[in-house]
Structures are given as structure tokens and as C-alpha cells.
């Protein structure tokens, strides 16, 4: 099976709520035995998302993907959704990989702009770091600036997830919270 086929299979089973543990374990073992250079970033992000969403644990798979992504993230162009899905999957699965979170955080914080990140990418990334109990100050500073700029266009759920993440990791930049207060108040009316 090619990377895309494996990603599609686990995504389909996970999305349908039918994550067959035995099949997922076989697929995970198969992926771990292969070169991850055969997989595109999108395929890796879909695969770890499917395992986390399906609540199927495969530590060796997460460890291998985490190590691989840490080597690629600064030199390879990962899309915002791929980065946020990978961070979300690791946090949701309870897979701690400090180097992965550090590298993703450095990569995102080092970007000139986060204009390509949609509100869900921003809030999912922040949520993942808070859930994993990883505080990356430069990342939260960058996410806060981008999130505040998108302001009124962000859905209530994304705003609340983002603010929860900031408070959870102890990032209480007054500008972020004060920028959201009037927007939240207007949505209550």
C-alpha cells in the first residue's frame, strides 16, 4: 500500500467510528517498518490524526512519526493544517514528544506570517500545546498576535479553545484577552 492509501484507510475507519484495533496495529507495524520518506506530510498527519481520533494507541508509530517530523519540519514545507493536526494528534493520544513540540513551535513562531493559518489551525495548535502541557512562549506570542488580528472572524469555539489554551499554559498576554473581550461581548447580544 502506498502512503496515501494507508492514510485513507485509517482515516475512513476512524472517521466512521469503526477503528478496528487489530487492523490499526497491523497498519501501524507496517508503517513503522517502512521508510517514512515514502510518506508526504499530509499522509503522516492524517495517519496520526486517525489513530488519536480512533483512540488506538501505537506508541512505536507515534515515536517514529514524531522523530521523522522533527528532522523535516524546519526544512520541508508543512502546511498549517498538517502541523496543527500532528500536534493535536500527539496531545490527544497522550504521546509526549518534547522535541516534536519544540520543533513545531520553533517553526511556527519563526514564520514571517501566520496568514495561511485559519482560526481552527490557530486554536488547535494552541489547544494541543496546552493539553500536552508544553509552553512555548514564542509560539503563543505568535499565535496570539495572529489570533487577535483575525478577531471577529473567529468562531466562538475557536476563541474559547484558544483562550483556554493560553490560560492553561500561563500565557496571559493582556493584549490578547482585551482584544477578545469586546468581540465576545458582541456575540452574546
Amino acid at each position: 500500500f502506498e502512503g496515501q492509501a494507508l492514510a485513507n484507510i485509517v482515516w475512513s475507519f476512524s472517521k466512521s467510528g469503526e477503528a478496528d484495533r487489530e487492523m490499526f496495529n497491523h497498519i501501524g507495524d507496517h508503517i513503522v517498518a517502512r521508510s517514512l520518506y515514502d510518506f508526504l506530510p499530509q499522509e503522516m498527519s492524517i495517519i496520526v490524526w486517525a489513530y488519536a481520533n480512533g483512540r488506538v494507541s501505537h506508541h512505536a508509530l507515534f515515536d517514529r512519526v514524531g522523530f521523522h517530523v522533527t528532522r523535516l519540519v524546519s526544512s520541508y514545507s508543512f502546511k498549517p493544517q498538517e502541523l496543527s493536526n500532528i500536534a493535536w494528534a500527539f496531545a490527544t493520544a497522550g504521546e509526549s514528544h518534547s522535541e516534536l513540540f519544540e520543533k513545531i513551535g520553533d517553526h511556527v513562531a519563526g514564520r514571517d506570517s501566520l496568514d495561511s493559518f485559519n482560526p481552527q489551525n490557530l486554536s488547535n495548535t494552541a489547544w494541543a500545546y496546552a493539553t500536552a502541557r508544553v509552553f512555548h512562549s514564542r509560539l503563543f506570542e505568535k499565535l496570539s498576535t495572529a489570533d487577535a488580528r483575525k478577531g471577529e472572524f473567529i468562531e466562538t469555539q475557536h476563541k474559547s479553545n484558544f483562550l483556554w489554551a493560553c490560560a492553561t499554559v500561563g500565557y496571559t498576554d493582556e493584549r490578547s484577552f482585551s482584544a477578545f473581550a469586546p468581540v465576545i461581548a458582541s456575540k452574546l447580544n
Side-chain angles (χ1 to χ4, degrees):
F1 286 96
E2 296 294 322
Q4 183 178 1
L6 292 170
N8 289 345
I9 290 167
V10 294
W11 181 89
S12 299
F13 274 82
S14 180
K15 186 73 173 169
S16 70
E18 300 296 328
D20 181 279
R21 291 188 189 291
E22 186 176 339
M23 182 193 69
F24 269 60
N25 284 330
H26 285 302
I27 290 173
D29 292 344
H30 176 77
I31 293 169
V32 167
R34 289 177 58 174
S35 168
L36 292 186
Y37 287 103
D38 294 341
F39 293 83
L40 298 173
Q42 180 183 29
E43 295 160 355
M44 287 186 286
S45 76
I46 290 170
I47 289 167
V48 293
W49 178 92
Y51 277 77
N53 185 65
R55 297 185 183 353
V56 178
S57 177
H58 198 295
H59 181 70
L61 172 69
F62 276 87
D63 192 52
R64 187 89 192 283
V65 169
F67 181 71
H68 187 69
V69 170
T70 61
R71 292 191 318 216
L72 295 179
V73 76
S74 59
S75 61
Y76 203 85
S77 75
F78 280 79
K79 294 178 182 161
Q81 185 171 354
E82 295 160 356
L83 292 170
S84 69
N85 283 355
I86 290 169
W88 180 92
F90 273 76
T92 300
E95 291 287 341
S96 102
H97 200 295
S98 59
E99 187 180 2
L100 173 77
F101 281 97
E102 180 183 338
K103 291 283 188 173
I104 290 175
D106 289 346
H107 178 72
V108 173
R111 292 174 69 125
D112 291 335
S113 164
L114 297 187
D115 289 345
S116 60
F117 280 66
N118 67 35
Q120 185 173 2
N121 301 147
L122 296 170
S123 70
N124 283 358
T125 302
W127 180 91
Y129 276 73
T131 299
R133 301 293 190 247
V134 175
F135 179 57
H136 191 293
S137 61
R138 289 186 321 113
L139 171 68
F140 272 84
E141 191 173 311
K142 189 79 165 203
L143 292 174
S144 289
T145 302
D147 210 48
R149 235 184 278 131
K150 295 183 190 277
E152 65 187 68
F153 303 107
I154 298 177
E155 293 177 24
T156 308
Q157 186 65 49
H158 299 313
K159 276 187 202 340
S160 64
N161 286 352
F162 184 78
L163 292 170
W164 173 86
C166 288
T168 298
V169 298
Y171 183 78
T172 54
D173 178 36
E174 186 180 325
R175 293 171 299 159
S176 297
F177 282 84
S178 60
F180 284 128
V183 176
I184 292 168
S186 72
K187 297 229 183 238
L188 293 172
N189 295 331

